[in-house]
Amino acid sequence: MNNEQWGTRAGFILAAVGSAIGLGNIWRFPYVAYENGGGAFLVPYLFALLTAGIPILILEFGIGKKGGGSAPLSWRNLNQKWEWMGWFQVLISFVIITYYSVIIAWALSYTKLSLNLEWGDDTKGFLFGDFLGVTDGVWNMGGLQTHLILPLVIVWSIVFITLYKGIKSGIERVSKFVMPLLIFLFLIITFRGLSLEGAAMGLNHFFTPDWSKVWHYKTWIAAYGQIFFSLSIGYAIMITYASYLPKKSDVNNSAFITALGNSGFELLAGITVFSILGFMAFENNVNISEVAAGGIGLAFVVFPKVINTLPAFNNLFGFLFFGCLVLAGITSAISIMEVVVAAIRDKFNLTRERAVVWVTAVSFSVSLLYATGAGLYFLDIVDHFINSFGILLSGLIQLILFGWFYKLRDIREAGNATSDFRIGAWWEIILKFITPSILLFIYAQNLIGAFREPYEDYPISALLTLGAGSVLLVMAIAWFFTRLSWKHSKSLNKKGVA
Ligand code: PHE
């Protein structure tokens, strides 16, 4: 049992929702849905939510609650040979936090830039030129973009202070404040978006189903990818957060609430983004497809353009939009860092405070790499590989181990015993047969794709070192940490059976 605990159930759920709702909801979902069949995307999306999202969330809550600690400790407590998996997940989270923090820092900068619309008319030129100073190739690192350091330090300070204060007075307090604020501010953007001319046309494009896409396997891969990233599953976040639950807590209902809250926000973001894109298309008299974008392009190129074009209150709108990105991102960043902090704390028997200091120092230093002129390239490659190969693999191994080498039923019964409602044997069938088969298929497709068509136009050397290299390095370091001996943590179960 962990010493620290959540103060209230709402606090735990808000923290879990805070982790789930992040940049992925705002800039990833709308575009992924639009590209993959619009309204028709809801079919594979809901299927992925029901077969992977919710069941895995329940599983991770169960692992954390039963395992009683950070990911490596929980895995080890459930089976002595499984510690490596915990470290694998921890290190994936570590890799992600090093660039996720940088994106939040960009958003923070843009929040300030929006006050004077400092990006000018050529928003793309501004982003890649003045702002990021992107070099001509991956292997040309350029210099550190010094103006990015201050926002990055601010982001890290917020994460640091929150984690330093611990679960109840840190993460729980911040989530209880940030999540309602985020939803309130985002709704203002939604209403403004819906009131703009062209909004209806945008929504039409977003929702019009293209059923032919449903028959394409790529649509399904996109749906599963979105669910994993967006719900933060496979990263051991939910394992770590659940380890702070009091013994009698519900897990089943909390998992449903978290998943539905996340999907609800995702849908809201889709409506908001596409009503605004509709306005943009209307103003420029072009087709939606010409203004639609996802990711960095949407947030830092298209949106600044939209903000320039708005009839009134441009700066306020810009401030709200980028402010929302920061708020959504920060609670996710906190959750990823907590995975690493808890693991280091448990393994080396450190106090929370010391673990936070060490982990922040290392993560901050690594994050500076992404603040160089080649940072955007690094980010793009590492993100692609870690998500298509690392996370998916983590999810797959997790299901195989728990489905086939552990009595899943035990976890289900333990959860049922304390939950608002019970879940049936369907849960085991899904986790044992259905979802692993689908993930295996996706993994194979991703591998074949990687060989057939190397990612973007990057040199192979960069894809091998930064891309495949980061995944392999994560595995190797996980092995190294597993080999180190435990420094007598109280919660370590010597027999490896919880
Ligand atoms: N779920 C977050 C989002 O949608 C991202 C995230 C991924 C957070 C992995 C933590 C871990 O943006």
Side-chain angles (χ1 to χ4, degrees), residues 16-29 92-93 96-97 99-100 226-238 262 266 328-329 331-337 339 387 391:
V17 174
S19 170
I21 295 183
L23 303 173
N25 299 58
I26 302 177
W27 82 22
R28 202 168 180 279
F29 175 80
I92 289 177
S93 295
I96 291 179
I97 187 62
Y99 64 80
Y100 203 81
Q226 178 63 25
I227 287 292
F228 267 80
F229 186 77
S230 176
L231 262 183
S232 316
I233 47 181
Y235 306 82
I237 292 176
M238 299 305 180
N262 179 61
E266 216 144 58
T331 43
S332 300
I334 288 170
S335 72
I336 321 180
M337 268 296 272
V339 171
N387 282 302
I391 275 306

Side-chain angles (χ1 to χ4, degrees), residues 46 51 67 96 184 186 275 287 326 340-341 372 390 413 418 422 424 444:
L46 285 177
T51 57
I96 291 179
F184 173 73
F186 200 81
S275 63
N287 202 294
V326 174
V340 189
V341 166
T372 61
E413 307 233 300
T418 56
R422 306 173 59 84

Side-chain angles (χ1 to χ4, degrees), residues 12 16 56-65 238 242 251 254-255 258:
F12 163 67
I56 296 180
L57 207 50
I58 295 178
L59 174 66
E60 294 201 359
F61 282 172
I63 299 175
K65 213 176 149 205
M238 299 305 180
V251 287
S254 302
T258 306

